[in-house]
Amino acid sequence: YEAVLRAVPPDTLGFAPGDGEALRQWLQQTLQPPAQRRTALAEGPILAVASPDTQHLLQKPLFSALRRRLGRNGASVEDRLKALYPTMTEEDVTAHAQSLSSTAGQRLLRELETQKKNLLKALQNWHRLPAAGSRQRLPALPELLFRRRLATLIQDSWEQAGKGYKTAFGDQQFGSELDLSGEAINGFLQNFPLLNPPLNHITSLNLAGTHFTDASTPFLSNFPNLRSLDITSKHLTAFPNAITGMPRLTRLGLGENPIRWTPQALEQLKHLQHLKVLVLSYNEHLSTPPDISRMPELHILMLNNTLVSHWPVGLFELPRASNFTLSLLNTPINQVPQVPPRSLSADSIARTRLAH
């Protein structure tokens, strides 16, 4: 007690230094016994159910609605949407938040959060894998940089899928475009994982000029929702089986590839019934033209600089659009089919590009 009196400023407690014993006696007389102090200082019990008055003050039904609007970590629907889609405008955030405040909306929001979390985790795991084609060798800097670029592009495409994208011709399309054209892939995709769920938000994939090889074709299985696929290259020797799992494909470019066109590969191509554009130019081993009898919407077919020696099967079995274009330039074809004059078939032949 004497130490306390010497430590505090003079006259603070009403006792001067040297009055330590007097301070002790005063405290004993003034303070309540320990048991009473513990009772007085104890926190009140927490009620399992709030009293009716408390519920009325909090407007319990509205309070419950507010709790549903908040996530498990206390974040609002608006904040969770911004975390999912950082580039979404405030106006869109507000509009979507209203539609997601219901029970079903909350469930959808949780599914989207889980989907994005799993996607980012899968991309991070891929980034840590050994070099492509190796079990232990560390990836060199070019491969690490490619992985980082691709992971960023995929994340950006997921976050911006709702905006759609514009083609090179200025047409607005839905979904996202993953454009890797001109990238030096060099086999870096060989150990890319098979994602679950796949990248359904990506509707256009451009791999033109990337040295995309047969060893990397499993990568294509991550894009079952593609409408447009361009693998203009010089390295594919087989028709990628993953393309058969893209039933909505409307544009397919496989130009300049030394693909060995087996009957099985041509049969697989035949079943892409929604194709509008098919480019097989400069396929040096293509001697049998594709069967287009099941492609009613096809309006561009490029077979120039190939070894095809006769006209495509099914060319005249379906009415073709007035802008239908067929290129047979620099092929062995040296005759024209006999069709009725001034017929739709005659129009198709008239628009065909021939070397003779």
Side-chain angles (χ1 to χ4, degrees):
Y1 300 97
E2 186 66 33
V4 171
L5 292 174
R6 295 182 182 277
V8 300
D11 299 327
T12 300
L13 299 175
F15 295 89
D19 295 335
E21 179 60 23
L23 174 62
R24 184 182 68 82
Q25 294 177 4
W26 178 81
L27 288 172
Q28 288 179 341
Q29 296 171 1
T30 304
L31 297 179
Q32 295 286 349
Q36 296 182 20
R37 293 203 303 270
R38 285 195 292 268
T39 302
L41 293 174
E43 293 183 359
I46 299 176
L47 300 179
V49 178
S51 67
D53 291 340
T54 301
Q55 294 186 26
H56 178 72
L57 287 171
L58 291 177
Q59 301 182 48
K60 187 176 179 181
L62 296 179
F63 186 65
S64 299
L66 177 61
R67 290 180 58 194
R68 287 196 301 270
R69 192 170 177 84
L70 297 177
R72 287 165 291 183
N73 60 353
S76 66
V77 173
E78 288 83 356
D79 289 339
R80 294 165 70 186
L81 276 172
K82 291 176 183 178
L84 283 170
Y85 307 106
T87 61
M88 184 178 287
T89 65
E90 290 291 338
E91 182 180 356
D92 288 339
V93 167
T94 302
H96 285 84
Q98 293 177 354
S99 64
L100 292 172
S101 60
S102 65
T103 302
Q106 288 288 308
R107 184 167 56 251
L108 174 60
L109 193 56
R110 288 193 295 270
E111 290 174 358
L112 290 170
E113 289 170 333
T114 300
Q115 186 181 125
K116 183 177 182 180
K117 178 182 177 181
N118 292 341
L119 173 61
L120 297 182
K121 182 178 179 180
L123 293 174
Q124 290 171 359
N125 291 339
W126 174 59
H127 194 272
R128 299 188 187 102
L129 289 179
S134 168
R135 293 185 177 181
Q136 296 182 340
R137 181 169 54 86
L138 294 176
L141 181 60
E143 185 171 359
L144 286 175
L145 293 176
F146 172 77
R147 290 182 183 182
R148 186 177 303 170
R149 285 198 302 275
L150 180 56
T152 300
L153 287 173
I154 291 177
Q155 179 178 346
D156 290 346
S157 71
W158 194 96
E159 294 175 347
Q160 301 177 26
K163 296 181 178 180
Y165 68 95
K166 286 189 177 182
T167 67
F169 301 100
D171 299 324
Q172 184 69 26
Q173 303 290 332
F174 76 97
S176 292
E177 179 184 31
L178 182 57
D179 188 355
L180 299 176
S181 58
E183 283 275 357
I185 289 180
N186 298 323
F188 297 157
L189 291 172
Q190 293 182 33
N191 59 1
F192 191 89
L194 185 61
L195 300 172
N196 184 23
L199 300 173
N200 289 315
H201 65 282
I202 294 179
T203 57
S204 176
L205 177 60
N206 191 344
L207 294 166
T210 59
H211 302 283
F212 191 79
T213 65
D214 298 326
S216 298
T217 53
F219 172 72
L220 299 176
S221 298
N222 288 296
F223 306 92
N225 204 30
L226 286 185
R227 270 60 169 179
S228 177
L229 174 61
D230 189 353
I231 318 182
T232 303
S233 182
K234 299 181 183 295
H235 301 277
L236 282 180
T237 64
F239 181 78
N241 289 326
I243 292 179
T244 61
M246 304 174 186
R248 300 174 184 82
L249 205 60
T250 61
R251 296 170 178 267
L252 176 59
L254 295 173
E256 302 181 24
N257 283 292
I259 296 174
R260 300 284 178 175
W261 286 95
T262 64
Q264 180 185 7
L266 290 169
E267 183 68 19
Q268 290 175 316
L269 185 63
K270 173 183 176 181
H271 292 285
L272 297 176
Q273 301 179 19
H274 297 291
L275 281 183
K276 297 179 180 179
V277 178
L278 177 58
V279 179
L280 302 177
S281 308
Y282 292 92
N283 270 239
E284 58 191 53
H285 300 300
L286 179 63
S287 57
T288 302
D291 185 342
I292 61 172
S293 59
R294 299 185 182 182
M295 302 177 187
E297 300 174 80
L298 190 69
H299 63 265
I300 295 179
L301 177 57
M302 308 299 288
L303 300 175
N304 55 288
N305 298 86
T306 63
L307 297 178
V308 296
S309 56
H310 55 275
W311 292 65
V313 175
L315 175 62
F316 307 118
E317 293 181 16
L318 296 171
R320 300 296 169 184
S322 59
N323 61 345
F324 179 80
T325 300
L326 170 62
S327 179
L328 296 172
L329 287 169
N330 300 320
T331 63
I333 292 179
N334 54 17
Q335 57 183 357
V336 175
Q338 297 298 315
V339 296
R342 291 182 293 277
S343 63
L344 293 177
S345 297
D347 290 341
S348 296
I349 292 175
R351 290 192 297 271
T352 299
R353 300 174 184 176
L354 290 165
H356 307 288

